[in-house]
Every structure is written in structure tokens, then in C-alpha cells.
Amino acid sequence: FRQGRQPMPCPRAASPTGRQCASCMASDTFRPCMICDGFACPPLVPSAREACVQTHHLYLASFGGPEVKVGTASDPRRTARLVDQGPLFAIRVASGTGPRIKQLEHVASHQTVAVEGMRRSRKLALLRGAMTAEQAEQRVMAVHASLLNVAAPDYDDLLHDPDPLRLPRLARETRASLRAEAELPIEEGCRLEGTVVGAVGHIAVLEDSEGRFVLDLGQLVGRLVDLDPPASIRRSQVQLGLF
């Protein structure tokens, strides 16, 4: 759970996988802000309230399918938030205080074809898709035009010219090579040994003598990961291909 925006470990160790158990979700002092649409802000602890009213950004992103995702990012993470997701094309289109940007997000998701959420499995499928960056740009810009048409004049001071995201070179190269690589399942107690040769969004590409494999890092959320197990555990090398 979180106190303000500070992550805290589950005191009951009740969630070996996943993000939060029910008790932590109920105790999370920042969650009310996360699910708020900006029109009727709930009471917040001071640290969460301070984060809420700081500058935020609205973005539109395509991951390679018909959907265009609308979302928000705090100012310090205005670029990292998008890079973390690995879109094919994305733009920032507005900036302002958190509540007003959330309001504009609500407008975009209810009055245009933009969607607020997208599952990791869907993103992975789209990472393997054939859509070009130019096609993705056309879809995103069409939604942006729709947003400009439906947004009330009250939001004019938030909107600005599209600011395109430039993905890191490694992310662009990784995306272009994902189609032929098998996904690597994660099971409790498994050990992975290999070299990271690619990364885009929540996906890492690992290589060993058997080939290259796609690892969904989202599967590691909520798990305990030992990055350097003791020698007694490393009796023999386990190659990625064995999984």
C-alpha cells in the first residue's frame, strides 16, 4: 500500500503476486486520488494532496492497434511514464494541475474513442503487431482532433500543441524484432539466467544459448526476486530454453 505516494510493504505478506491485497488497497492513502476523475476530489492526506495539485500532463498513445489510450503523468515522470509503457506513437497534449488534467482525461475517454486502460497482455500482443509508426500517428492525431472539438473552452488554457514522444533507440529496435520470440512464463521458484538484449515498455528480451525469449516484467510485480542467489542455489546453470 502507499502512505501518500510512498510505497510500503504489505504488513501481512498477504499478496505474493499482484499489486495489492484487499487490506492494503483499503489502507492506501493515495488510491482515492488515483481513481478520482477530478470533478469531486476526495479528502486526501497532505502528501497525497500536494502531489495531486502539482503539474500533470495528458497524453494520447497508440500501441499498435485500433485503440488510442489517454492517460496522465506527473511532471517529473512526464517522459518516463510513457517510455515505461512502450507505445508505438504518443503525444502530450495538455498540462495543468492534477484535478483539471483528470477532468480532461475524463472528457477524452467519454467523448472521443480514447480508452483509459489497457491490459498488459493486450499491449504485448500489439507489440508484435504489424502497424507502422505512421499509421499509429494518424490514429492518435485523429483522436487529438476530436478532443479539441469536444473539450469545453474552460480547458483551452490546458491544451497545447502536440509534443511527440521520442522512444529510446533500444525500445525502437526491440519492438521491431519481437514477433519471432517466444514468451517466457514465470513460476514460483524458477531461476532465469541469460543476457538482457532488448527492452520496450514492460517487456525485456533475454538471450541464452537456446535463443531469445520475451519476459513480461509485469509478472514480477509483488514477487520477491533474488538478483544474486547464493552459490549453494546455483549448483547448475538453468538455461532460459528449459522453461
Side-chain angles (χ1 to χ4, degrees):
F1 67 100
R2 285 163 294 187
Q3 291 181 348
R5 300 195 75 171
Q6 179 65 36
M8 306 293 291
C10 177
R12 301 166 186 81
S15 184
T17 62
R19 295 186 180 276
Q20 287 183 323
C21 67
S23 177
C24 283
M25 188 176 295
S27 302
D28 192 332
T29 59
F30 196 67
R31 179 171 172 77
C33 183
M34 295 296 295
I35 61 177
C36 172
D37 62 10
F39 289 100
C41 292
L44 298 171
V45 298
S47 57
R49 180 62 183 169
E50 181 181 1
C52 173
V53 299
Q54 291 176 353
T55 298
H56 284 67
H57 300 265
L58 187 78
Y59 65 82
L60 299 170
S62 168
F63 295 87
E67 310 97 329
V68 170
K69 182 178 182 295
V70 60
T72 68
S74 62
D75 188 63
R77 285 184 48 80
R78 60 188 180 278
T79 297
R81 169 70 173 150
L82 280 167
V83 171
D84 285 351
Q85 297 181 67
L88 185 54
F89 180 82
I91 53 176
R92 289 183 292 265
V93 298
S95 61
T97 60
R100 296 194 69 207
I101 290 297
K102 282 180 173 289
Q103 292 174 20
L104 196 54
E105 179 186 33
H106 181 86
V107 170
S109 63
H110 286 74
Q111 298 186 41
T112 76
V113 297
V115 298
E116 287 189 76
M118 185 177 294
R119 293 183 178 274
R120 290 197 328 269
S121 58
R122 175 60 174 161
K123 288 181 183 178
L124 177 56
L126 294 178
L127 283 172
R128 300 177 185 271
M131 180 179 283
T132 66
E134 291 74 18
Q135 292 170 325
E137 179 178 355
Q138 290 176 1
R139 291 182 181 275
V140 169
M141 297 308 294
V143 172
H144 179 236
S146 296
L147 177 60
L148 294 180
N149 285 332
V150 300
D154 293 347
Y155 299 110
D156 286 350
D157 61 317
L158 305 181
L159 294 159
H160 55 68
D161 291 338
D163 181 14
L165 170 72
R166 176 69 173 173
L167 279 176
R169 177 183 58 82
L170 180 62
R172 300 195 305 271
E173 293 177 353
T174 301
R175 186 182 184 110
S177 65
L178 276 180
R179 291 186 205 170
E181 292 155 5
E183 187 173 357
L184 187 65
I186 295 296
E187 299 175 356
E188 186 174 354
C190 74
R191 186 174 68 211
L192 308 177
E193 293 188 359
T195 302
V196 177
V197 295
V200 55
H202 59 93
I203 297 300
V205 179
L206 305 182
E207 182 178 58
D208 70 359
S209 61
E210 299 292 320
R212 293 188 173 190
F213 301 85
V214 173
L215 173 62
D216 179 358
L217 297 175
Q219 295 184 72
L220 302 180
V221 173
R223 297 179 184 266
L224 294 175
V225 179
D226 188 346
L227 298 178
D228 187 21
S232 60
I233 296 179
R234 305 184 68 166
R235 291 186 298 272
S236 61
Q237 289 197 353
V238 179
Q239 293 180 321
L240 297 175
L242 299 181
F243 288 91

